[in-house]
């Protein structure tokens, strides 16, 4: 994306020349233990040497696992002779079509190369508890299949592969189209091919030989509107859906809003589960894991679908149909009142506009629902695959290193038995949302103040609280980065407000604001000092606030795959920087601690978590009073022969 200042300037004056249309690319090729970050312009007719704006080598990092990486890992694991031999000798398995190899990033990896671990299981009710490491050597594009027998790692064979990891991301998605269309349109297929060609040509001029792989990110950024609300919808390989410039009747509410990281730590401290803690946003990318939605099943009602254009490992554009669903849905009764003197009723049904996509990350489905209008609601629904060797693995009849001394196999310490010898391990799903509020601030929220609001009981006081029933709210401005590292407090009714001190509500005589209403959930449960706690630093508290910085997008770091430390929030918050006038960005961590039930097997019902950002003195009255007195004509009374009934919304009574 372009720098925030450029985007704000362009939004203020769309007639001005848009920023140049650029692409930010992440490349990997043989001979480099790291990645190349490059920015290139997509103006037509430029020579590759002049189209490349920057070309920077980043050493000691690993790019995320693309879909091609995952498919290659499974194919090579199943083709490895040592794996086939072990499957036959230990389990009597010779039909490899029955074998599934779920590719996982490796937490606390015992190897220093870019690697994927595969958990193998059969397409039956019983999973094979076998961990396999598949390593991708990015320096030579060769790999080693490693079999981990509960902690004993040995190299069995070397198989030639092509590492399929490169990223090409839109740096300037507000830039001018080369041929036609709105300046905020996504990259088209021609631009994707152009960017890939520029990178290949420039790499050749730098003496790079051999194959280069790409993953191309395209953002859809066309403005949408609904019932006084408008927003710009984006989509990329890493975050999935992104909401930009959310407004009500032209009043700014949120500059940008998205889900930027996840961590899924498991409770079992034994091998190989100690190496299971996927950071699904940074390790795989939610956009990459998005699959087409189905009308009438995933999305109900009158639907508007959006396609998404990403790329494969060759830099070729790939269009994912029906990646995003947008529709209006009924939310139940919004308000109702009956004048008990006259019997006159007034009621309105609630409605909201929902933008959603579903990401399949190996064994989980994550359904993300954003309601950008009214209350800004973000809801995540986690669903589990019917066969999950990572959750459902044997507790008995396994090699000794797998069983804790003194542990009762019928009552496992770190999970729940959901079937004969099948232990479903407890775990957490920790999400992080990045919120860039802009409440009535056309400078993108630069002047906002984040405040913490608690409800407290008043002490006994013969004058101020003589009957002991008094309570009040206490607001505290969070004026520095360290002060703004906060935890939830449900017993205090704690919320966090985004306040604009320059705009006063004429009714309350207080500054306009929106408030973040958190959910009640524990933070990361791993011990301080553990690798999980270091890498998942963002989940140790629920709220963080930092000054805006265009380079700070990923709370666990730019390159999470294979990392052992947090290079995001942990680094950004070392200094106690002031927040006043610093354009505060809010990072909110939320999640689910999944203590597994037998009812979650063999396929888990949806588990819901999320948060709400809603007005707190932004309006002078209920903004829903303008809703029409509509009545659902399809509803019938079964006891009156299918009649639709009388007036309920006041229209007939008023007439």
């Amino acid at each position: 994306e372009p720098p925030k200042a450029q985007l704000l300037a362009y939004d203020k004056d769309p007639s001005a020349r848009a920023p140049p249309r650029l692409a930010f690319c992440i490349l990997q090729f043989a001979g480099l233990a790291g990645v190349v970050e490059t920015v290139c312009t997509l103006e037509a007719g430029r020579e590759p040497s002049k189209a490349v704006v920057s070309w920077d080598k980043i050493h000691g990092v690993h790019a995320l696992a693309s879909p091609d990486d995952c498919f290659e890992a499974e194919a090579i694991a199943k083709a490895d002779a040592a794996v086939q031999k072990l499957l036959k000798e230990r389990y009597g398995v010779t039909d490899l079509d029955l074998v599934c190899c779920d590719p996982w990033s490796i937490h606390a990896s015992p190897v220093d190369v870019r690697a994927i671990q595969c958990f193998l299981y059969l397409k039956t009710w019983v999973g094979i508890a076998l961990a396999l490491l598949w390593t991708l050597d990015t320096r030579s594009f060769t790999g080693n299949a490693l079999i981990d027998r509960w902690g004993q790692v040995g190299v069995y064979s070397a198989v030639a592969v092509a590492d399929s990891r490169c990223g090409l991301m839109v740096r300037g998605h507000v830039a001018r189209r080369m041929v036609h269309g709105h300046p905020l349109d996504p990259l088209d297929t021609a631009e994707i091919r152009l960017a890939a060609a520029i990178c290949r040509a420039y790499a050749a001029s730098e003496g790079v030989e051999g194959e280069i792989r790409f993953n191309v990110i395209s953002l859809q950024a066309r403005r949408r509107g609904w019932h006084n609300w408008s927003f710009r919808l984006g989509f990329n390989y890493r975050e999935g859906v992104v909401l930009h410039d959310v407004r009500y009747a032209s009043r700014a509410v949120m500059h940008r809003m998205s889900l930027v990281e996840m961590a899924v730590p498991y409770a079992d401290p034994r091998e190989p589960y100690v190496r299971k803690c996927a950071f699904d946003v940074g390790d795989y990318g939610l956009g990459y894991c998005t699959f087409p939605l189905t009308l009438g099943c995933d999305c109900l009602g009158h639907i508007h679908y959006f396609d998404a254009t990403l790329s494969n490992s060759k830099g070729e554009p790939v269009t994912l149909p029906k990646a995003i669903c947008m529709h209006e849905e009924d939310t139940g009764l919004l308000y109702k009142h009956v004048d008990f003197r006259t019997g006159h009723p007034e009621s309105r049904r609630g409605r909201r506009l929902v933008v959603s996509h579903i990401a399949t990350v190996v064994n989980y489905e994550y359904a993300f629902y954003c309601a950008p209008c009214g209350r800004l609601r973000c809801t995540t629904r986690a669903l589990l695959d019917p066969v999950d060797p990572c959750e459902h693995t044997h507790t008995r009849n396994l090699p000794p290193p797998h069983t804790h001394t003194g542990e009762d196999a019928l009552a496992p310490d770190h999970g729940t038995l959901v079937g004969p010898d099948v232990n479903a391990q407890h775990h957490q799903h920790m999400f992080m949302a990045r919120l860039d509020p802009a409440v009535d601030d056309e400078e993108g929220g630069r002047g906002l103040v984040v405040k913490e609001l608690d409800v407290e009981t008043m002490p006994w006081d013969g004058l101020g609280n003589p009957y002991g029933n008094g309570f009040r709210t206490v607001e505290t401005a969070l004026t520095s980065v360290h002060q703004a590292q906060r935890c939830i407090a449900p017993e205090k009714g704690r919320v966090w407000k985004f306040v604009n001190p320059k705009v006063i509500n004429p009714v309350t005589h207080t500054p306009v604001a929106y408030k973040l209403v958190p959910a009640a959930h524990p933070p990361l449960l791993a011990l301080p000092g553990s690798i999980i706690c270091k890498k998942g630093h963002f989940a140790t508290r629920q709220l963080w606030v930092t000054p805006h910085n265009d380079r700070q997008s990923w709370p666990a770091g730019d390159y999470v795959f294979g990392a052992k430390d947090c290079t995001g929030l942990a680094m950004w918050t070392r200094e106690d920087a002031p927040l006043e006038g610093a354009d505060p960005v809010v990072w909110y961590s939320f999640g689910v601690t999944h203590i597994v039930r037998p009812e979650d097997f063999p396929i888990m019902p949806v588990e819901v978590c999320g948060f709400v950002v809603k007005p707190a003195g932004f309006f002078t009255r209920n903004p829903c009073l303008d809703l029409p007195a509509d009545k659902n004509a399809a509803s019938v009374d079964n006891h009156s022969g299918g009649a639709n009934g009388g007036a309920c919304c006041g229209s007939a009574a008023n007439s």
Side-chain angles (χ1 to χ4, degrees):
E1 298 179 24
K4 182 177 178 179
Q6 289 188 15
L7 180 57
L8 291 172
Y10 178 71
D11 283 340
K12 288 180 180 179
D13 185 11
S15 64
R17 186 180 185 278
R21 197 160 175 84
L22 306 174
F24 171 60
C25 316
I26 302 174
L27 314 174
Q28 279 193 313
F29 43 80
L32 177 64
V35 300
V36 167
E37 292 184 352
T38 181
V39 176
C40 57
T41 179
L42 299 177
E43 294 181 12
R46 285 230 184 175
E47 294 293 331
S49 60
K50 296 181 180 180
V52 173
V53 178
S54 64
W55 183 276
D56 300 316
K57 295 180 180 179
I58 311 297
H59 296 278
V61 300
H62 303 301
L64 61 74
S66 71
D68 290 328
D69 286 331
C70 295
F71 284 123
E72 287 182 85
E74 179 173 36
I76 295 173
K78 293 171 69 172
D80 188 87
V83 175
Q84 295 177 6
K85 180 180 178 182
L86 186 147
L87 289 172
K88 180 178 180 180
E89 293 179 351
R90 183 182 293 184
Y91 304 103
V93 175
T94 56
D95 186 356
L96 295 180
D97 290 337
L98 297 178
V99 178
C100 298
C101 305
D102 278 0
W104 278 63
S105 60
I106 308 173
H107 175 70
S109 177
V111 295
D112 293 329
V113 295
R114 184 166 178 267
I116 290 176
Q117 62 182 338
C118 293
F119 287 87
L120 277 63
Y121 61 96
L122 297 180
K123 296 178 182 177
T124 67
W125 285 95
V126 180
I128 293 178
L130 170 67
L132 177 90
L133 296 182
W134 166 244
T135 71
L136 296 174
D137 189 336
T138 59
R139 289 166 294 183
S140 59
F141 287 156
T142 60
N144 297 323
L146 302 166
I147 294 179
D148 180 2
R149 295 177 176 174
W150 312 113
Q152 299 176 0
V153 180
V155 178
Y156 278 77
S157 62
V159 186
V161 299
D163 185 341
S164 54
R165 172 57 209 161
C166 280
L168 180 60
M169 295 185 289
V170 177
R171 182 77 170 201
H173 71 279
V174 301
R176 193 177 305 280
R177 301 276 290 182
M178 291 188 297
V179 182
H180 63 278
H182 192 274
L184 300 182
D185 280 351
L187 288 181
D188 58 26
T189 56
E191 289 173 310
I192 292 174
R193 291 192 178 96
L194 174 61
I198 290 171
C199 290
R200 288 194 182 95
Y202 190 86
S205 70
E206 292 289 301
V208 177
E209 298 179 355
E211 186 175 16
I212 300 178
R213 299 293 184 97
F214 298 84
N215 288 318
V216 180
I217 314 312
S218 179
L219 295 179
Q220 287 185 309
R222 184 64 69 88
R223 180 167 291 280
R224 304 292 163 183
W226 178 82
H227 194 73
N228 292 329
W229 290 89
S230 67
F231 60 94
R232 189 176 297 140
L233 175 62
F235 185 88
N236 64 56
Y237 81 110
R238 191 157 173 170
E239 298 161 284
V241 164
V242 182
L243 300 180
H244 302 263
D245 197 22
V246 181
R247 292 174 175 268
Y248 178 86
S250 299
R251 295 174 67 187
V253 175
M254 189 73 63
H255 177 72
R256 195 183 193 278
M257 175 179 176
S258 67
L259 190 82
V260 288
E261 196 50 87
M262 288 175 53
V264 188
Y266 283 73
D268 197 328
R270 298 168 292 184
E271 296 282 356
Y273 309 108
V274 69
R275 295 201 300 271
K276 286 181 58 184
C277 183
F279 285 65
D280 291 322
V281 177
D283 283 341
Y284 301 101
L286 298 179
Y288 271 149
C289 296
T290 297
F291 279 79
L293 300 170
T294 304
L295 182 66
C297 298
D298 302 318
C299 309
L300 303 181
H302 189 97
I303 308 299
H304 184 90
Y305 288 108
F306 299 89
D307 298 342
T309 302
L310 304 176
S311 81
N312 60 20
S313 61
K314 298 179 181 179
E316 299 168 339
V318 175
T319 298
L320 179 65
K322 298 182 178 179
I324 307 171
C325 163
M326 184 173 70
H327 72 290
E328 182 182 291
E329 66 180 20
D330 181 273
T331 60
L333 196 63
L334 178 65
Y335 64 80
K336 180 180 178 69
H337 180 64
V338 177
D339 187 331
F340 70 90
R341 297 174 180 84
T342 65
H344 171 68
E346 281 287 342
S347 63
R348 298 292 186 274
R349 299 293 298 181
R351 64 192 73 176
R352 66 185 175 204
L353 187 72
V354 178
V355 178
S356 63
H357 75 110
I358 299 177
T360 298
V361 188
V362 191
N363 57 303
Y364 278 97
E365 326 291 329
Y366 292 105
F368 301 97
Y369 299 87
C370 299
C373 305
R375 299 179 178 183
L376 305 179
R377 184 183 301 270
C378 178
T379 305
T380 302
R381 300 185 178 188
L383 302 98
L384 181 63
D385 231 9
V387 282
D388 180 7
C390 308
E391 296 242 332
H392 311 299
T393 50
H394 292 291
T395 58
R396 295 184 289 177
N397 303 322
L398 289 174
H402 183 59
T403 305
H404 272 317
T405 303
E407 182 181 21
D408 185 352
L410 297 180
D413 294 336
H414 311 290
T416 301
L417 288 181
V418 296
D421 296 332
V422 183
N423 173 24
Q425 293 125 31
H426 305 321
H427 57 280
Q428 292 185 287
H429 296 267
M430 305 302 295
F431 304 90
M432 171 151 276
R434 181 183 183 274
L435 309 176
D436 190 352
V439 181
D440 259 346
D441 188 340
E442 292 302 321
E443 294 185 357
R446 175 171 294 278
L448 298 192
V449 177
V450 179
K451 293 186 176 183
E452 183 173 87
L453 185 147
D454 288 345
V455 179
E456 68 173 24
T457 300
M458 296 171 59
W460 285 96
D461 186 326
L463 295 177
N465 189 25
Y467 301 102
N469 64 301
F471 63 90
R472 60 192 174 194
T473 60
V474 177
E475 287 191 5
T476 303
L478 306 179
T479 59
S480 72
V481 166
H482 288 178
Q483 185 193 13
Q485 298 175 17
R486 310 300 296 170
C487 294
I488 59 172
E491 75 282 2
K492 297 181 179 180
R494 177 169 292 172
V495 298
W496 294 292
K497 296 176 66 176
F498 315 144
V499 179
N500 187 341
K502 296 181 179 180
V503 181
I504 303 300
N505 187 307
V507 174
T508 65
H509 306 291
T510 59
V512 296
Y514 260 71
K515 67 179 180 181
L516 166 61
V517 182
H521 58 88
L524 192 67
L525 295 175
L527 288 174
S530 65
I531 295 181
I532 289 178
C533 199
K534 289 179 180 179
K535 187 175 177 181
H537 188 69
F538 70 88
T540 58
R541 294 174 178 83
Q542 278 87 18
L543 189 85
W544 308 75
V545 186
T546 61
H548 179 271
N549 186 316
D550 288 323
R551 296 290 298 174
Q552 295 179 357
S553 300
W554 315 114
D558 291 352
Y559 297 97
V560 177
F561 193 90
K564 293 182 173 64
D565 288 298
C566 173
T567 57
L569 273 171
M571 295 181 62
W572 307 336
T573 58
R574 286 177 181 173
E575 301 294 331
D576 192 20
L579 294 173
E580 294 178 280
D583 193 0
V585 173
V586 175
W587 310 81
Y588 174 59
S589 174
F590 63 102
V592 170
T593 299
H594 188 187
I595 305 302
V596 187
R597 310 167 299 151
E599 293 86 352
D600 293 330
F601 185 76
I603 186 166
M604 171 185 152
V606 65
E607 188 80 23
V608 181
C609 66
F611 63 93
V612 176
V613 181
K614 60 183 180 180
F618 186 77
F619 298 102
T620 57
R621 65 173 191 168
N622 183 350
C624 301
L625 295 179
D626 61 351
L627 287 178
D630 292 338
K631 181 181 177 182
N632 183 272
S635 299
V636 297
D637 185 346
N638 188 54
H639 296 285
S640 59
N644 186 248
C648 67
C649 300
S651 55
N654 287 336
S655 63

